[in-house]
Amino acid sequence: MKFLHTGDWHLGKKLGDFDLRQEQWDAFLKLVAIAKEEKVDAIVIAGDLYDSPRPNEDSVALLNRMLVQLNLEEKYPLLMINGNHDSAVRLNTGNQWYRLNHFYLNTRLEDAFDPVEIGDCQFFLVPYFKLAQAKIILIKIIKI
């Protein structure tokens, strides 16, 4: 299996007053070109999609456009997690229908133990988490 790993897109980031949206779109188009050239079987997006847990509308629209192109138009399976800059709740919206299109998004640590299987590979999607979340899950597993 061949997959492309990416992350830290930080959509919505500005350098002073300079908006990076066009540069981010250009980088995205290069990512698509690499995926096609390398004939990848899936794309892994490892968090920090947004630069803020409360992204502006333009950033949300840009991410949606990118994900639609990768998943629905180009037909790449997507394996995605949230990062510390992302709102897990906001990213998880729509998760129920994502899997119908081979878009696997995990924003909950307790779901990281269930692998996503693509071909003969298993992916464990471990999102950003805080230590307290891990302690709660370990207590449930160990049943202390």
Side-chain angles (χ1 to χ4, degrees):
M1 164 166 254
K2 192 181 242 190
F3 63 92
L4 176 63
H5 184 279
T6 180
D8 291 295
W9 292 5
H10 289 276
L11 300 177
K13 175 112 177 134
K14 291 185 177 184
L15 295 175
D17 291 333
F18 187 75
D19 189 337
L20 296 172
R21 192 176 0 201
Q22 186 60 51
E23 285 72 16
Q24 291 169 328
W25 180 252
D26 292 343
F28 170 76
L29 293 177
K30 289 179 183 171
L31 180 143
V32 173
I34 291 167
K36 288 178 180 180
E37 181 181 323
E38 294 296 326
K39 297 180 175 77
V40 301
D41 299 300
I43 298 175
V44 177
I45 307 172
D48 284 350
L49 295 133
Y50 296 118
D51 197 52
S52 163
R54 292 195 172 100
N56 61 39
E57 289 179 37
D58 289 339
S59 299
V60 172
L62 182 58
L63 178 64
N64 288 344
R65 183 177 170 196
M66 291 170 165
L67 296 177
V68 163
Q69 182 171 342
L70 288 174
N71 184 245
L72 298 180
E73 295 171 10
E74 302 291 343
K75 305 293 186 200
Y76 289 111
L78 299 180
L79 300 131
M80 192 166 94
I81 60 168
N82 62 295
N84 65 314
H85 285 250
D86 303 313
S87 165
V89 173
R90 288 175 194 245
L91 271 183
N92 201 40
T93 302
N95 195 16
Q96 298 80 6
W97 56 266
Y98 291 161
R99 289 178 185 247
L100 296 173
N101 296 302
H102 303 287
F103 179 177
Y104 306 94
L105 168 64
N106 187 20
T107 62
R108 298 168 12 108
L109 181 59
E110 52 269 29
D111 295 334
F113 302 97
D114 298 322
V116 172
E117 294 186 15
I118 298 178
D120 61 353
C121 291
Q122 291 184 326
F123 293 86
F124 291 86
L125 302 179
V126 181
Y128 171 78
F129 63 90
K130 296 188 176 173
L131 188 56
Q133 293 171 294
K135 286 180 182 178
I136 291 168
I137 291 171
L138 282 174
I139 290 170
K140 287 180 184 177
I141 291 172
I142 299 172
K143 297 181 183 173
I144 295 176

